[in-house]
Amino acid sequence: MTDSDGAAAEAGDDAAESPALPADLDAVRDALVDWYEADHREFPWRRTEDPYEILVSEVMSQQTQLDRVVPAWEDFLDEWPTTADLAAADRADVVAFWSDHSLGYNNRAKYLHEAAGQVEDDYCGAFPEDPEGLSDLMGVGPYTANAVASFAFNNGDAVVDTNVKRVLYRAFDVPDDDDTFERVASRLMPPGESRVWNNAVMELGGVACGKKPRCDEAGCPWREWCHAYQTGDFTAPDVPEQPSFEGSRRQFRGRIVRLLGEHDEMELDALGHRIRVDYAPDGEHGREWLRGLVDDLADDGLVEADASGDGVVVSLRR
C-alpha cells in the first residue's frame, strides 16, 4: 500500500466514524460564508488582525457577555495599546482594571500581563503564529490559541465551542461526543480559511442557532440541510450552568481585589468588614474564612499578606 493509499484509508475511517454530511460540502460552506459576509454583528476585534488585540478580546470574552466586553476592550487598549506597554505596566494596575470593569476571574488579568512579557522577552515582540506556539503563552489554552491563530494569522484549526457544538448537533445530527464534534468541524472547514470560517460558524451559533433557534428570522443558511429544521427537534447538548455568582467565593475574591486597588493596604479584619456586612472575626465568615480567600489570592500571585506585625496586613502584589 502506498502512503497516499494509507492516507485515503485513514480519511475513510474517520468519515465512517462521523455522521454523514451533505454530499456537496462546497455548497454548505459557500452558503455559510456568504450569509456571514452579507451581514454579521460588528465587534471591534473583528476589524483587526493584530494578535495582541485579538488575544485581549478572547481572554475578556471568556464567560463574559460580549456587550460588556466591547467598552472594556477599548479602554484596555487605550491604557496599554501594545504588548510592550502591557508588559511594562504594574501588574496590580492591570488586575485593578480587570476588577473595576467587572470582568471576573482576575487570574486572567495576571496571565495576560505575563503573556505580554513573554511575547516581549521570548519572541522579540512578535507573536507565535500557530496554535502550538501560542499555547506556550501564559494562560493561553488550546481554544484561545486556536482562536488567535485563526483570527490574526488565518492559521488555525476549526474552532469548537459550545455554540459550534449546538450547530453541529442540530444541523447534521452529530452525537454529543467531543471527538466527533472535532472531526466533523474539521471536515466542514474549507482548507486555509480558518479566519472567515470560524467567525462565520460561531456567528451562526450566536445569532441563528442559539438555545432558542431563530432559523427563519435570522435567515439561517443551512436550513435546507439541517436535521433539526426538517424534523422540528431542536434539542441540543446540555450546557452546564454557571455556579451562582452571588455569595460565591469568586464574588468575595473580586471584592477583595477591588478594595485593595483603592487602598495601599488593609488590615485583615478591616478588609473583612468591608467585603461583607455579616463579617465577625470569630464567626462562620470570619478570619479563618477570610484568610482562606486571601491565601488563595496569594497563591495566584494577586495579593500579599504580611503577618510580621500584630495582625495580618493585605495588599495587592506589585
Side-chain angles (χ1 to χ4, degrees):
M1 182 186 294
T2 65
D3 288 345
S4 59
D5 289 337
E10 184 177 345
D13 290 342
D14 285 345
E17 295 175 10
S18 299
L21 293 175
D24 191 351
L25 283 185
D26 286 340
V28 174
R29 293 162 175 161
D30 291 346
L32 177 60
V33 172
D34 289 348
W35 173 84
Y36 172 77
E37 292 184 337
D39 185 29
H40 58 259
R41 293 171 296 177
E42 285 291 339
F43 297 118
W45 47 85
R46 283 181 169 171
R47 299 193 293 267
T48 181
E49 295 176 11
D50 184 313
Y52 170 60
E53 295 180 357
I54 291 170
L55 176 61
V56 173
S57 76
E58 289 295 327
V59 173
M60 285 188 173
S61 299
Q62 294 166 13
Q63 298 177 315
T64 304
Q65 293 179 340
L66 295 181
D67 58 351
R68 289 174 47 213
V69 171
V70 172
W73 182 83
E74 292 172 340
D75 290 349
F76 191 94
L77 293 176
D78 283 343
E79 187 75 23
W80 302 290
T82 67
T83 51
D85 295 315
L86 183 58
D90 189 316
R91 182 168 62 182
D93 292 337
V94 181
V95 172
F97 175 99
W98 212 262
S99 184
D100 289 344
H101 285 73
S102 301
L103 291 167
Y105 297 101
N106 292 317
N107 272 347
R108 289 182 292 171
K110 182 189 77 168
Y111 294 148
L112 191 56
H113 180 254
E114 293 185 21
Q118 284 179 273
V119 170
E120 290 301 309
D121 297 339
D122 301 343
Y123 296 96
C124 300
F127 273 75
E129 297 187 5
D130 56 59
E132 182 178 3
L134 287 159
S135 292
D136 289 336
L137 299 179
M138 182 64 69
V140 175
Y143 175 85
T144 301
N146 189 48
V148 175
S150 295
F151 303 139
F153 303 110
N154 197 29
N155 190 34
D157 302 315
V159 165
V160 181
D161 66 358
T162 300
N163 282 343
V164 173
K165 290 179 181 180
R166 186 189 311 116
V167 168
L168 299 182
Y169 184 93
R170 286 175 174 164
F172 305 118
D173 200 21
V174 178
D176 186 6
D177 173 77
D178 286 348
D179 289 341
T180 308
F181 282 131
E182 294 281 353
R183 283 197 301 272
V184 173
S186 295
R187 288 176 59 200
L188 279 170
M189 188 180 78
E193 298 292 340
S194 61
R195 177 183 290 125
V196 67
W197 180 260
N198 285 329
N199 267 319
V201 74
M202 288 194 296
E203 184 77 356
L204 187 65
V207 170
C209 200
K211 292 181 181 180
K212 182 179 180 181
R214 299 177 59 251
C215 316
D216 295 324
E217 303 97 308
C220 174
W222 281 355
R223 284 171 289 181
E224 68 178 275
W225 300 284
C226 179
H227 176 266
Y229 192 75
Q230 302 303 326
T231 64
D233 179 6
F234 287 96
T235 56
D238 290 337
V239 179
E241 292 186 6
Q242 274 290 99
S244 173
F245 179 70
E246 191 65 32
S248 67
R249 289 176 65 84
R250 182 159 57 96
Q251 181 184 43
F252 289 108
R253 281 167 53 104
R255 288 181 181 176
I256 290 170
V257 171
R258 279 195 294 276
L259 275 171
L260 294 178
E262 299 168 4
H263 304 271
D264 289 338
E265 59 185 30
M266 294 190 73
E267 190 273 335
L268 191 68
D269 283 344
L271 180 63
H273 286 296
R274 291 290 299 276
I275 68 168
R276 64 181 305 155
V277 295
D278 60 346
Y279 177 82
D282 298 322
E284 179 183 358
H285 296 108
R287 289 193 189 114
E288 184 177 354
W289 169 82
L290 179 56
R291 188 58 194 262
L293 293 176
V294 169
D295 288 347
D296 284 350
L297 290 168
D299 290 342
D300 290 338
L302 297 174
V303 308
E304 294 178 336
D306 182 3
S308 58
D310 294 335
V312 177
V313 176
V314 187
S315 60
L316 284 182
R317 183 178 174 185
R318 298 186 179 276

